[in-house]
Structures are given as structure tokens and as C-alpha cells.
Amino acid sequence: MTKKQKNNLIRCIVSLVLVVGLSVAFHFAGLPWWVELIAFLIPYYIVGYDVLLKAFKNIRNGQVFDECFLMTIATIGAIATGEYREGVAVMLFYQIGELFQSIAVGKSRKNISDLMDICPEVANVLHDDGSITEEDPDDVEIGSIIVVNPGERVPIDGIIIEGDTSLDTSALTGESVPRAAHPDEEIISGCISLTGMIKVKTTKEFEDSTVSKILELVENSSMRKAKAENFISRFAKYYTPIVCYSALALFVLPPVIRLLLGMPADWLDWLMRALTFLVISCPCAVVISVPLSFFGGIGSASSKGILVKGSNYLEALASTDTIVFDKTGTLTKGVFEVQEIFTNDGVSRDYLLERAANCESASNHPIAESILRAYKKEFGAEIDHNLIYDVEEIAGHGISIKYKQVNDTSVRYKESPDGIEESVDKRSESGEESHFKIYAGNMRLMKKIGAPVTEEHDEGTVVYVAESRLDNNDHIKYIGCIVIADELKETSQEAMTKLSKQGIKTIMLTGDSEKAAALIAEKVGVSQYKSELLPGDKVNEVEKLLSLEQNVSEEKQARNDKKGGKLAFVGDGINDAPVLARADIGIAMGAMGSDAAIEAADIVLMDDDPAKISLAMKISRKTLRIVKQNITFAITVKVLCLLLGALGIANMWIAIFADVGVMVLAVLNATRTLRI
């Protein structure tokens, strides 16, 4: 409990003891009414002075109609009519309900506050002279070397350059098992180094680091309200003044009508009915429990490494019935490795790998990086970028470069039974420069440039390579292809199984060949797949699916059936950002995903685990069920009690239950979102 909560609890206990003691004392001792009034005003003031003060300030500021005003009018009116115990009891139980609400909100905020603790206040910066200074992470520049000691949090994203450790990533991903980290591996801010001292070279500024992005997402999540929250806000805005005027009418109109009919007015009886009506009508249960339910759902998701940018997205996720997946980096690990090299026309494996690596050196695509890793492993050298010029990326096809070659006597090799025979071009013997144009890409690129591919492959992702001599107008020659495979994530199949059980239709979109896509689709178990798509084709496919969803929605509404579902897209790359923004809900991979994808997405999975999507849907659906339960329960009970109060059947004690009791039950129900 906080200090304020403890003080409120003490006030409630003292007030309750005084009310019980005074009730017993005045039951056996016949004292004047004014003595009883003064006595009961003491516990009333102890427990309710802050409510009275807030009501007075709101009236002074022109904000009259709120729960403090309702409680003040109702309790003062009850005391004025001689119902001292009831007046104090209404204020006492209202404060008990507020205490329950405060504790519940505190619990739901705990996950968020724990998340805020992932932000280190200082970074240990290592200087060239070996000295270390503590600096504000905001002041650390890209490329700086920072030291992270055991037990400290990583303040900025970077690459480990020295040291081994195990990382506690639970605050980011919800995963309690430590992860080993070694030199040359990327490390994200917010993790705790558990076992060793490491040196990290920063790759981002603090404001662009993972920890800053997470805090920004959490802080802004409350700004994006769900439809249910907006409804409650509008409901409370009009509901409170309506019930106040209704209570006034209930006090004035029936007695006046009775007088006109020649009957006793019974002003006191109708005043008590109006006051009871006011207590019952307090909208606390709905106004508090609905946002608390969403806040709890978002907090529960964040503790499991699922960042939801707003309650509106949590609400939309509950009605999602179609999820579209990108393949690379989403269902697969996005770590490509060269599996096979197929040469053509007597070209050696080394020659083909060298040509492909020079061409792909201008790209940062995972496929290109895998070829460069294979080149470095094979030759132990880096690409000479001074020999490369006129780089052209052909969207959805591949890449081409112009390549300058000087005095290279290892242009091509062809194998013979007697060993390897050199086949040296004449231009190499003369020492003159030779210029080539090299193409590397998919089969569409080969067809576009007219390269005569002798054999197509479908074992995985295939990079076809062709070249032509520019200095003698040589025709384009196909020299071979490289087969690259991407490993599936361990949880991809589990994710599809769980989503299928939840009635979700799953679709995979990829630029891979038909056979490669079919193989992956069969392994993971998606409902449908589309292959050989260009980056722009993904947007078009999602547009078609959205149109289909809209048509289904209209058909269901015409049949008075439930509203059609929404479509979510899951991706990780820069090219996925437009699709993430276009879908009803965008879900991005937070660990390996690009900044553009994370920025465009509505939900971020911090550990890149696709199985977390089904958990997010479970959280969203349970949260929505709890919200609907609270709204239905609170409004039903209040309407029933309002009718009973207007008819004079419900007394002040029933009013207390209709207000405080319903609020406590609704708040306790809302806290169930924390235990999903």
C-alpha cells in the first residue's frame, strides 16, 4: 500500500469504529438530536472531508456534475433529514470502494512501473585513455564504447566487442530464462548483464534505442482509447447531469402533483427517495472499471513481452479473425545460410561465389548478408568496394552492379580429370582493365535480362547470377546459382495450431517461389499462402483481403449476425511498414524488426515469438469479456435499483450496495485481467 492508501484505510477504520460505537451508545442513551448530529458529524468529517473539499473546488471551477457532487448532496441531505447513520455510512462505504479501486489500479500499474525501471540513469563510457566516466545515456554518441558490469542494465543498443555474459531479458520479453551473449552479437537496451562484464559499441542514440521506444509506446498507450472507453466517457458526461435533474424532479414533481390532487405532499418521503436515487445513480462502477480493465489487459500483455500501443488496438484484436504473416524474420529466423552452389559452363564455385558476393555487397538484405558471410569464410577477405560502381537495385527482382577487374588470372576455372586447369582471359595477360556487369537475383530478373538459365532450383531461396563483359559488348551469360535456406522459428507451427483452435484464418505472403512457399506453408500449417510477391503486391493482397472482410461484415449485418472480424498483419522489415499501417492491426517483431516496422505497428512482440500472438488474442478477448460483464452488470443493477428507489422500495442501504457494492465487485472483476 502507498502512504495515501494507508491513511485512507486508517480513516475508514476510525470512522467505522466511531459509527458502530455511537450507534450502540445512542441506542441505549436517549440524548437530544443535536448531540447525536454533532457526534455523527465527527466520523463523517474524518472519512469524507476530501470528498467535500473536491466537490466544493469542482463547483467553484464550474465542473459540478461528478461523483463527489453526488456523494456530497446525498450524504448532507440524509444527515439533514435525521438519517445520520445512513449519511455517514454512504460516505464511509464510498471511500472503502475508492480504496479498493486505488489498490486495484496500483496492482495493474505495477507491471508498467516495473517496465519503467528498465531505463538506466547512467552509462559507463570507456575513453581512449582507459578511463571510465558515468554519463547521461542521452549524451552518449553512436560508436562510443560503454562498459556494463554484472547486475547492471544495458543503457543503449549496441554490439558486444568484448566479454561474455548471460542476459536477463524478462523485463522486455517476459522470458525468465537467461540468454547467453558473446562478442559480435547485438544487444538491446533494458537487458541485465548477469554474469560478466562486457564492453558494448553503441549502434544507436539513446532516444532511438529499444528501451526508449518501449517507454514511449507505454506512455502513449493511454491516449488511444477503445470504443468502450469512449462510450463510457460520453455516457458519464450526459448521464450525471441527467440523473441529478431527475432526482430534483423526483423530489419536486410528485409532491406538487399530490397537492394538486388534494393529497398530503410528503415532502420528506420524496426527499429521501431523491437522495437515495442520487446515491444509486453514481456511475463510479462503470466509469472506473472499464478503463481499469483495459489498463490491466495492457499491463498483463506488457509483462509477457507484448506491447500494445492503446486499448483501442487491444479491443480490435479481440474481433480479429484473419491474420496475415510475412515469412522472412516473422515465421522464420531471418538468418540465411548458403546451402548449395550450382555452377554453369565450367565456372568454379569460388568464381561464382566471388561474383555473387561483389554484387550483393551493396545490399543489407539478410540473403545478401548470408552470401557475404560465405565469401568471408571462404576467402578470409572483405569485398573491395573500390572495384564496384553503378549499383542498381531492381525492386522485387534483385540487384546489378558494374565491376572493374584488373590483372586477375583467376577469372574462371574448369575441372578436368587431371586436376584444375586455368582458363585465363586475354585481357588479364595484357594487364588491361576489364569491366563486367553482374546480375544477382531471382528467376524474374534472369528472364528480364534474357539470361539463359539452364536449370531452375526450388530447394529454398535461390539467387541466380549472370554477367556480361562491357568492354567487348559480350552477351549476358548465366554462370550459376546459390541456394540459401532460412530456418523456421521453433514456435511458428505452435503459433498456427493455437490460432487455428481460436478460429483464426492464417495466411502467409512471401516473395519465394511457389514450391519453396508451399514447403514452408505445409511445415507451419497456415490456412493459405501467396508466393512470388513483389513488395507492392503484399499491399494489394491485404487490400483484397480487407475488401473481402468488409463484404463479409456487411453480409453478417444484413442477417443481423455478429459483425465481421478484422484483419491483422504480422511483419518485421522496412518493406512491411506500409502493410502494417494499412491493416486493421499491425503486429511487428520488436527484437529483429526494423524501426520503421515497429513505428508503423500497433502491437509489438518484443521477443519475436509468433506464438505470443495467440496469447495476445486470449488477453484481448478476456479483457473485452470482463469489460462487457462490468457494463452489463453495473447498468442492470443500477437501473433496477433506480426504479426501486423512485418507487420508495429501496432504502439508503440498498442505495449503498447499488453504488459502492457494485463498484467494488466491478473493480475486483476488472483486476482479473492481471491474471491472464
Side-chain angles (χ1 to χ4, degrees):
M1 277 190 175
T2 64
K3 184 178 180 180
K4 183 178 180 181
Q5 290 170 347
K6 290 179 180 177
N7 289 336
N8 288 343
L9 178 60
I10 293 171
R11 288 166 53 201
C12 289
I13 292 173
V14 170
S15 180
L16 179 62
V17 170
L18 287 175
V19 169
V20 173
L22 290 172
S23 297
V24 173
F26 286 115
H27 179 73
F28 293 103
L31 297 174
W33 66 268
W34 57 270
V35 175
E36 189 174 357
L37 171 62
I38 293 173
F40 275 101
L41 283 178
I42 295 173
Y44 176 75
Y45 177 78
I46 290 173
V47 77
Y49 72 87
D50 54 339
V51 176
L52 300 174
L53 182 62
K54 187 176 180 181
F56 172 75
K57 288 181 178 179
N58 289 344
I59 293 172
R60 186 178 62 187
N61 295 330
Q63 300 172 349
V64 179
F65 300 110
D66 63 357
E67 63 269 17
C68 291
F69 174 77
L70 294 179
M71 288 298 106
T72 300
I73 296 298
T75 54
I76 290 177
I79 292 172
T81 58
E83 302 290 345
Y84 310 131
R85 296 171 185 80
E86 286 81 351
V88 179
V90 168
M91 185 64 76
L92 172 62
F93 285 106
Y94 172 76
Q95 289 286 46
I96 291 174
E98 289 291 302
L99 181 61
F100 268 99
Q101 173 217 331
S102 177
I103 293 173
V105 171
K107 286 184 178 180
S108 64
R109 283 184 181 275
K110 185 176 185 301
N111 289 327
I112 304 300
S113 62
D114 288 345
L115 191 63
M116 295 303 177
D117 290 339
I118 67 176
C119 184
E121 295 181 356
V122 297
N124 301 317
V125 180
L126 177 65
H127 301 284
D128 293 338
D129 60 0
S131 63
I132 296 178
T133 58
E134 291 187 351
E135 298 183 13
D136 190 316
D138 272 320
D139 298 331
V140 178
E141 298 179 352
I142 295 176
S144 300
I145 307 299
I146 57 175
V147 176
V148 183
N149 296 307
E152 293 181 347
R153 289 192 184 274
V154 180
I156 306 172
D157 293 3
I159 297 175
I160 300 175
I161 60 172
E162 183 180 320
D164 299 279
T165 187
S166 58
L167 297 175
D168 177 2
T169 63
S170 57
L172 301 176
T173 66
E175 176 57 57
S176 59
V177 179
R179 178 176 68 84
H182 309 288
D184 296 328
E185 291 185 5
E186 291 186 1
I187 187 171
I188 58 176
S189 51
C191 301
I192 300 176
S193 176
L194 296 175
T195 58
M197 187 270 284
I198 55 174
K199 294 179 182 178
V200 179
K201 184 176 183 180
T202 61
T203 56
K204 294 181 180 179
E205 293 183 347
F206 177 71
E207 62 179 10
D208 296 324
S209 288
T210 302
V211 65
S212 297
K213 294 291 185 183
I214 293 173
L215 297 183
E216 183 181 351
L217 294 180
V218 174
E219 288 167 355
N220 293 336
S221 65
S222 61
M223 299 171 60
R224 301 178 176 91
K225 291 187 176 182
K227 291 181 180 178
E229 284 186 285
N230 289 325
F231 163 74
I232 293 304
S233 298
R234 294 193 300 269
F235 171 81
K237 180 180 179 181
Y238 296 105
Y239 170 82
T240 307
I242 287 174
V243 295
C244 287
Y245 291 126
S246 298
L248 180 63
L250 183 63
F251 169 57
V252 175
L253 294 181
V256 171
I257 293 173
R258 289 174 64 88
L259 285 174
L260 293 176
L261 295 176
M263 300 169 63
D266 292 334
W267 288 101
L268 188 59
D269 176 55
W270 288 101
L271 175 60
M272 286 305 300
R273 293 191 191 190
L275 294 175
T276 302
F277 188 92
L278 276 180
V279 175
I280 295 171
S281 65
C282 186
C284 299
V286 179
V287 173
I288 293 170
S289 65
V290 171
L292 180 61
S293 299
F294 281 111
F295 194 83
I298 291 174
S300 176
S302 68
S303 69
K304 297 170 177 61
I306 306 167
L307 294 185
V308 184
K309 293 186 180 181
S311 54
N312 56 332
Y313 303 124
L314 193 68
E315 183 182 45
L317 188 62
S319 59
T320 297
D321 61 8
T322 303
I323 300 183
V324 181
F325 291 87
D326 173 49
K327 180 182 75 69
T328 304
T330 303
L331 296 177
T332 64
K333 292 182 178 179
V335 180
F336 291 88
E337 296 295 340
V338 172
Q339 302 294 324
E340 295 285 348
I341 298 178
F342 297 94
T343 62
N344 184 54
D345 193 25
V347 174
S348 72
R349 288 168 55 90
D350 287 353
Y351 181 83
L352 174 59
L353 181 59
E354 180 189 16
R355 285 301 198 242
N358 276 288
C359 197
E360 296 287 1
S361 65
S363 173
N364 60 0
H365 191 278
I367 293 176
E369 291 175 355
S370 69
I371 293 176
L372 291 172
R373 282 196 302 272
Y375 174 84
K376 186 175 181 180
K377 182 179 179 181
E378 183 72 23
F379 294 96
E382 300 290 343
I383 296 293
D384 186 353
H385 291 275
N386 293 322
L387 304 178
I388 299 169
Y389 61 102
D390 285 357
V391 177
E392 180 185 2
E393 186 167 354
I394 308 167
H397 290 75
I399 196 167
S400 70
I401 63 167
K402 290 182 180 178
Y403 179 71
K404 179 175 66 175
Q405 188 166 300
V406 184
N407 291 337
D408 186 357
T409 58
S410 59
V411 178
R412 297 191 184 200
Y413 296 91
K414 56 184 178 181
E415 297 182 7
S416 70
D418 300 328
I420 298 177
E421 298 178 356
E422 294 187 1
S423 175
V424 184
D425 287 350
K426 293 181 180 179
R427 45 96 184 152
S428 300
E429 296 174 350
S430 63
E432 297 177 357
E433 290 183 356
S434 294
H435 294 261
F436 287 77
K437 187 163 188 179
I438 306 172
Y439 303 86
N442 53 28
M443 181 55 66
R444 287 193 298 268
L445 177 62
M446 296 297 105
K447 291 179 179 179
K448 182 176 181 179
I449 63 176
V453 177
T454 55
E455 183 181 3
E456 295 188 27
H457 294 267
D458 54 23
E459 295 88 343
T461 300
V462 183
V463 177
Y464 295 91
V465 184
E467 68 174 4
S468 63
R469 286 274 298 273
L470 297 177
D471 45 2
N472 62 0
N473 295 320
D474 196 8
H475 63 278
I476 296 175
K477 297 177 182 178
Y478 169 66
I479 61 175
C481 66
I482 299 174
V483 178
I484 298 164
D486 185 12
E487 187 178 352
L488 277 176
K489 292 181 179 177
E490 291 83 357
T491 58
S492 292
Q493 187 175 8
E494 176 191 349
M496 299 306 123
T497 302
K498 289 182 176 179
L499 291 172
S500 178
K501 289 180 179 179
Q502 291 178 320
I504 306 299
K505 179 181 178 182
T506 54
I507 301 172
M508 182 184 75
L509 303 182
T510 178
D512 275 356
S513 65
E514 169 65 23
K515 290 185 179 180
L519 182 63
I520 294 293
E522 183 179 357
K523 283 184 178 179
V524 298
V526 294
S527 307
Q528 297 178 15
Y529 69 92
K530 296 280 186 178
S531 60
E532 300 181 5
L533 298 176
L534 299 176
D537 294 336
K538 290 184 181 180
V539 179
N540 295 333
E541 289 296 328
V542 168
E543 290 281 1
K544 292 176 184 177
L545 291 168
L546 286 170
S547 300
L548 182 61
E549 289 287 338
Q550 180 64 31
N551 293 335
V552 171
S553 174
E554 292 173 356
E555 289 175 7
K556 287 186 175 182
Q557 291 183 59
R559 298 195 307 266
N560 292 322
D561 198 352
K562 68 178 182 178
K563 187 177 179 182
K566 295 185 179 297
L567 181 141
F569 180 84
V570 189
D572 70 308
I574 293 176
N575 62 326
D576 293 327
V579 200
L580 288 165
R582 179 63 188 91
D584 293 322
I585 304 169
I587 304 175
M589 299 294 165
M592 296 295 291
S594 69
D595 290 343
I598 294 173
E599 186 70 26
D602 308 312
I603 298 173
V604 181
L605 307 179
M606 291 311 302
D607 57 357
D608 289 1
D609 183 359
K612 289 285 181 72
I613 298 173
S614 63
L615 176 59
M617 296 206 65
K618 181 180 178 182
I619 292 173
S620 67
R621 289 177 173 178
K622 184 167 183 178
T623 300
L624 261 292
R625 282 199 302 271
I626 290 172
V627 167
K628 291 174 182 177
Q629 288 168 5
N630 282 339
I631 293 175
T632 303
F633 171 68
I635 292 179
T636 301
V637 172
K638 282 193 176 293
V639 169
L640 179 61
C641 291
L642 284 172
L643 291 174
L644 295 176
L647 295 173
I649 300 173
N651 58 22
M652 191 64 75
W653 291 104
I654 294 179
I656 291 172
F657 168 74
D659 174 37
V660 179
V662 171
M663 179 177 70
V664 170
L665 291 175
V667 167
L668 290 176
N669 190 40
T671 59
R672 292 195 299 124
T673 56
L674 296 172
R675 298 190 297 273
I676 301 174

